[in-house]
């Protein structure tokens, strides 16, 4: 696997990229008049496009490659627990192995009456997942909706603590047991389970927030993927992430690092902006200008790390928030994400 490119800023107008918001300066003060702090955190689109990802420290790539090889030795051994028909899809509750062998539950979706054309590994935010969502899944795709270890509704307390303030720093001092890392490595087993159930189909990754962050950590090391969409990804650029307040998991990490300064070094193996530099597939990043939960500078650092020729950057007005026009933005983003998947398939 090639080493990541080192470069300055990424252009917002990439070869296939588009700007979703009508303005670079939406009326955030009008939209969020009661916000305790500005979710832009002092940034504009121009400054966000200039955020540098964190360079890979010594041993970063070799460590992730070793974890990838270790995961190949684990049998995902998916087992269907129950199934039901949802329109033209079959939705099954399944059980599979995680990277350390712990048994986790997930949903597997298959199109009815046709062979799947592609497989989607579809992760979720830090709130966990209590249902499947088809907005980014074509009708003729198979999909697995893994639920991260420790999180609801399927894996509450299994393999990790559930409270976000504990989950996001659990076992940080031990890289092999760090829960963030294990959640990312579990995605390789989720992909194994998907292939075992659907057949040898090309894979595409979709992840939002927490799922975007762990996807950026995991997907570059799995050569079965043909493309990925990362929506408001977390865990990017800890120098920036730890320097500002937020309402999400980053605040718990920030508190932990203040109390345990050595934890800053422990986080280096789990920086999504570092890992994103190793992508060799087309990647669509949907990054927000305003976000109180995942600092925008971390999101854009992930986008800025992706090699220019592989990046499709969609700039969202805001993330993790309700605002005027949100339904239209979500609809357009999903449509464009499906188009990105189709282009990845067409390039095979």
């Amino acid at each position: 696997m090639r080493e990541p490119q080192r470069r300055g800023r990424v252009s917002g107008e990439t070869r296939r990229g588009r700007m979703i918001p009508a303005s670079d300066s939406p009326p955030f003060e009008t939209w969020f008049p009661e916000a305790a702090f500005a979710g832009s955190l002092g940034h504009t689109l121009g400054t966000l496009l200039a955020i540098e990802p964190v360079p890979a420290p010594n041993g970063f790539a070799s460590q992730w490659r070793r974890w990838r090889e270790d995961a190949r030795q684990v049998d995902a051994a998916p087992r269907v627990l129950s199934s039901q028909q949802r329109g033209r899809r079959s939705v099954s509750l399944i059980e599979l192995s995680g990277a350390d062998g712990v048994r986790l539950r997930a949903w597997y979706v298959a199109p009815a009456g046709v062979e799947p054309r592609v497989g989607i590994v579809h992760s979720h935010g830090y709130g966990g997942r209590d249902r499947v969502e088809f907005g980014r899944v074509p009708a003729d795709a198979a999909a697995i909706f893994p639920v991260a270890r420790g999180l609801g509704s399927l894996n509450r307390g299994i393999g990790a603590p559930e409270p976000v303030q504990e989950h996001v720093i659990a076992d940080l001092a031990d890289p092999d047991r760090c829960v963030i890392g294990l959640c990312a490595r579990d995605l390789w087993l989720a992909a194994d389970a998907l292939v075992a159930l659907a057949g040898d189909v090309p894979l595409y990754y979709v992840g939002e927030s927490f799922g975007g962050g762990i996807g950026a950590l995991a997907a570059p090391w799995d050569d079965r993927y043909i493309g990925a969409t990362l929506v408001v990804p977390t865990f990017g650029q800890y120098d920036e992430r730890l320097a500002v307040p937020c309402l999400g998991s980053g605040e718990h990490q920030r508190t932990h690092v203040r109390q345990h300064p050595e934890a800053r070094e422990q986080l280096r193996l789990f920086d999504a902006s570092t890992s994103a530099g190793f992508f060799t597939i087309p990647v669509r990043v949907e990054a927000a200008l305003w976000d109180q939960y995942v600092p925008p500078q971390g999101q854009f650092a992930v986008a800025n790390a992706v090699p220019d020729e592989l990046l499709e950057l969609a700039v969202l007005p805001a993330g993790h928030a309700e605002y005027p026009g949100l339904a239209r933005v979500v609809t357009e983003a999903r449509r464009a994400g499906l188009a990105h998947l189709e282009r990845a398939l067409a390039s095979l």
Side-chain angles (χ1 to χ4, degrees):
M1 186 176 290
R2 61 112 177 99
E3 294 302 306
Q5 285 190 355
R6 295 292 172 229
R7 58 198 176 96
R9 57 181 289 173
V10 58
S11 168
E13 295 291 347
T14 58
R15 183 164 56 91
R16 294 188 303 273
R18 293 174 303 117
M19 294 296 191
I20 288 179
S23 168
D24 291 349
S25 301
F28 295 132
E29 292 184 0
T30 301
W31 287 359
F32 312 114
E34 298 181 1
F37 61 92
S40 57
L41 295 163
H43 280 278
T44 64
L45 178 59
T47 63
L48 289 168
L49 291 171
I51 296 289
E52 293 280 357
V54 175
N58 290 337
F60 181 90
S62 60
Q63 178 65 84
W64 278 96
R65 289 171 183 144
R66 179 177 72 79
W67 281 330
R68 180 69 186 104
E69 288 306 310
D70 290 347
R72 295 180 198 275
Q73 310 310 310
V74 180
D75 185 358
R79 183 168 70 94
V80 176
L81 303 177
S82 64
S83 296
Q84 60 177 317
Q85 205 67 23
R86 292 265 304 270
R88 298 179 63 84
R89 291 179 167 106
S90 170
V91 179
S92 299
L93 178 65
I94 69 170
E95 183 183 78
L96 69 152
S97 296
D100 58 355
V102 66
R103 295 294 283 178
L104 302 169
R105 289 189 294 170
W107 285 283
Y108 169 69
V109 174
V114 298
E115 291 296 317
R117 187 168 53 107
V118 63
I120 312 287
V121 177
H122 197 317
S123 191
H124 57 77
Y126 234 133
R129 179 188 292 283
D130 59 11
R131 65 187 182 277
V132 297
E133 299 170 341
F134 297 131
R136 293 182 183 266
V137 179
D140 59 354
I144 188 167
F145 291 82
V147 177
R149 59 177 58 220
L151 301 184
S153 62
L154 297 184
N155 296 317
R156 183 171 287 114
I158 299 174
E162 182 181 24
V164 173
Q165 65 268 29
E166 298 177 31
H167 192 279
V168 76
I169 60 171
D171 292 313
L172 187 57
D174 183 347
D176 288 320
R177 296 180 58 214
C178 174
V179 165
I180 296 173
L182 283 170
C183 288
R185 292 150 60 191
D186 288 340
L187 293 175
W188 299 326
L189 276 297
D192 290 349
L194 174 56
V195 170
L197 294 168
D200 190 16
V201 291
L203 299 182
Y204 188 93
Y205 183 81
V206 175
E208 182 171 356
S209 193
F210 169 81
I214 62 172
L217 288 171
W221 317 102
D222 190 335
D223 60 10
R224 295 171 293 182
Y225 283 105
I226 61 168
T229 290
L230 310 176
V231 184
V232 293
T234 192
F235 302 139
Q237 229 296 6
Y238 282 106
D239 291 335
E240 296 280 350
R241 177 174 166 84
L242 297 173
V244 295
C246 73
L247 301 179
S249 63
E251 191 64 22
H252 304 301
Q253 289 181 320
R254 198 160 77 108
T255 298
H256 182 73
V257 170
R258 281 201 303 264
Q259 296 170 349
H260 306 276
E262 70 278 7
R264 175 63 192 97
E265 291 303 309
Q266 296 163 357
L267 284 166
R268 292 198 182 278
L269 278 172
F270 308 106
D271 193 313
S273 77
T274 303
S275 190
F278 290 87
F279 270 118
T280 58
I281 56 174
V283 179
R284 173 179 167 86
V285 180
E286 299 175 13
L289 296 171
W290 196 100
D291 196 324
Q292 289 188 302
Y293 284 82
V294 178
Q297 49 267 57
Q299 299 179 33
F300 276 83
V302 173
N304 295 348
V306 178
D308 288 349
E309 70 275 11
L310 299 176
L311 175 66
E312 175 172 294
L313 174 61
V315 179
L316 309 181
H320 297 91
E322 300 281 339
Y323 57 89
L326 173 61
R328 175 186 57 80
V329 170
V330 170
T331 298
E332 168 60 16
R334 289 175 175 174
R335 187 203 65 76
L338 290 171
H340 186 264
L341 184 158
E342 291 299 329
R343 287 194 295 272
L345 282 169
S347 68
L348 293 179

